[in-house]
Amino acid sequence: MQSITIDRSKRLKEEPQFGHNRWHPDIPPIVEVDPGEEVVLETRDASDSQIQPGMTEADLAGLDAKVGHPLTGPVYVKGAEPGDLLEIEYVEITAQPRGWTRNRPGAGFLADVFTDPYLVHWDISDGWATSAQLPGVRIPDGSFMGTAGLAPSHEQVAAWVAREADWVNRGGTAAPPDPEDAVPAGGQIANEGLRTLPPRENCGNIDAKQLTTGSRLFIPVAVPGGLYSAGDGHFAQGDGEVCITAIEMGATCTVRFAIHKGQAARHNITMPRYAHPDYFLPPEWAAPRNFTATVGYPIHPDGTQEGVDSLTLAARNALLNMIALLQERGWSAQQAYIICSVAVDLRVSNIVDLPNVAVSAFLPEGIFNG
């Protein structure tokens, strides 16, 4: 078994030989492995170890803003070639003993509602996360890697930059290449490398909470060796990650690779897939066994009706209704928003009974047994 060991007391820029925070095909691999061989990757949290216990909201303003997400890797998988489908099996994912969740003004699903910063620290032990700032809340271990993927080709880098720039020109939001805080620093990679904020065809920051230990992630290979990297560990997350962070943590993941020769090219597979042969969490949490749900429809506060194209509005309303429910129970709005981001699942309940498509927000009641 090979391993990539890091010093989490240091920032990625202090150990650039072990990782990167941009996607680019010219980032050299750290290790080479055979299919079937396990490799252990130690990773930093999404803030690049900037958020430490004892910090408050006042400390957040001075953080480097463009370091997310620090990734450990790349790993070169011998025999992987463009057109193949690379299977990444998560053999084990182990959490570090501390985590955090923050609301960042200007970000998150309800950025217009929650305009002040908020920071929660978590203690992680014995399979649970608890916080003095959320007394009585206990979140079960659902550790997964929020960001993991393969290197894009030069052609993909150019195409993805162009399509995201077009979206910005049409009034959308994207994170274009930016050399500030880039690792590797300077040169073509820093200037051209893709920011890791959005997921893309190479997977990346997909934040899929079902990618727990035992899961398999399948990604089309674009460059020789695939060049797999991972980071941004999450101890737990609600489907949606609504305040823009989960329970963020450093993690250690053990992965194993298999190559499905030519399968991506043969079947025109261009997007990631993932699977799990068992429950991704204990079934009482995956279901969950005891829950309360709020519902949202695509109706504006003034009563204006929207339709099937407004699932986002329905999800927003379901989330606002859940926050209101939690406030009825005595939580502040900021506490409720954090609880939703780490534990509440947004799910499409109905997309056909127009005009009111329905999104539900599921709250697992078991988290309040702490």
Side-chain angles (χ1 to χ4, degrees):
M1 181 186 297
Q2 300 196 58
S3 63
I4 303 175
T5 303
I6 64 173
D7 183 349
R8 292 191 182 91
S9 70
K10 297 180 179 179
R11 300 278 303 281
L12 176 61
K13 63 184 178 182
E14 299 174 85
E15 290 191 325
Q17 69 273 26
F18 295 133
H20 57 100
N21 60 18
R22 301 293 191 270
W23 292 114
H24 196 278
D26 293 343
I27 298 173
I30 299 172
V31 298
E32 295 188 6
V33 300
D34 292 309
E37 182 179 0
E38 293 182 3
V39 58
V40 179
L41 289 78
E42 294 184 353
T43 69
R44 295 175 173 84
D45 67 32
S47 78
D48 194 9
S49 303
Q50 293 185 93
I51 297 179
Q52 295 293 324
M55 290 178 62
T56 69
E57 289 83 0
D59 300 311
L60 299 176
L63 301 186
D64 292 338
K66 298 175 182 177
V67 298
H69 307 84
L71 304 177
T72 300
V75 176
Y76 185 102
V77 183
K78 297 176 185 177
E81 295 291 336
D84 295 342
L85 191 66
L86 188 65
E87 175 183 341
I88 302 101
E89 177 187 356
Y90 288 96
V91 178
E92 186 176 21
I93 302 172
T94 304
Q96 290 292 290
R98 294 187 298 272
W100 53 268
T101 307
R102 68 176 290 200
N103 174 44
R104 190 172 77 241
F109 191 47
L110 299 179
D112 60 322
V113 177
F114 291 91
T115 57
D116 295 323
Y118 196 69
L119 175 64
V120 168
H121 296 285
W122 300 91
D123 295 314
I124 298 171
S125 64
D126 300 324
W128 299 91
T130 58
S131 173
Q133 295 156 282
L134 296 171
V137 171
R138 197 169 65 142
I139 307 295
D141 188 351
S143 295
F144 69 98
M145 305 311 299
T147 304
L150 305 183
S153 67
H154 285 283
E155 293 77 13
Q156 286 176 321
V157 169
W160 299 348
V161 168
R163 77 182 180 195
E164 290 170 19
D166 174 69
W167 172 236
V168 170
N169 290 336
R170 291 185 284 125
T173 300
D178 188 331
E180 182 181 351
D181 297 328
V183 178
Q188 186 176 15
I189 294 173
N191 289 316
E192 295 180 357
L194 297 166
R195 301 277 297 282
T196 61
L197 179 62
R200 302 180 180 88
E201 287 89 331
N202 68 322
C203 198
N205 190 31
I206 194 170
D207 286 331
K209 64 181 280 185
Q210 293 79 13
L211 284 168
T212 52
T213 294
S215 64
R216 273 81 165 172
L217 174 62
F218 302 84
I219 310 174
V221 176
V223 299
L227 301 183
Y228 171 85
S229 302
D232 183 29
H234 292 179
F235 181 79
Q237 178 198 293
D239 274 332
E241 197 190 21
V242 292
C243 83
I244 207 171
T245 55
I247 298 182
E248 307 287 337
M249 63 171 186
T252 300
C253 70
T254 302
V255 295
R256 182 165 47 220
F257 302 96
I259 301 170
H260 300 274
K261 293 302 297 181
Q263 191 170 120
R266 187 161 53 250
H267 298 290
N268 193 30
I269 301 170
T270 60
M271 295 288 176
R273 299 174 174 181
Y274 54 95
H276 202 299
D278 203 342
Y279 294 106
F280 73 93
L281 289 176
E284 65 269 24
W285 294 107
R289 178 173 57 197
N290 176 17
F291 69 86
T292 299
T294 54
V295 174
Y297 300 127
I299 302 170
H300 291 282
D302 65 1
T304 303
Q305 179 78 61
E306 299 287 350
V308 70
D309 293 332
S310 294
L311 276 171
T312 298
L313 178 57
R316 173 187 174 90
N317 287 337
L319 179 58
L320 288 169
N321 290 336
M322 178 55 71
I323 290 170
L325 182 152
L326 288 166
Q327 287 181 280
E328 292 169 15
R329 299 183 180 184
W331 301 101
S332 73
Q334 287 277 23
Q335 288 174 317
Y337 196 28
I338 295 293
I339 290 170
C340 288
S341 196
V342 304
V344 168
D345 292 330
L346 291 174
R347 297 177 179 173
V348 177
S349 298
N350 185 325
I351 203 170
V352 294
D353 291 333
L354 303 181
N356 279 332
V357 297
V359 173
S360 298
F362 285 79
L363 171 69
E365 294 287 357
I367 67 171
F368 299 113
N369 293 335

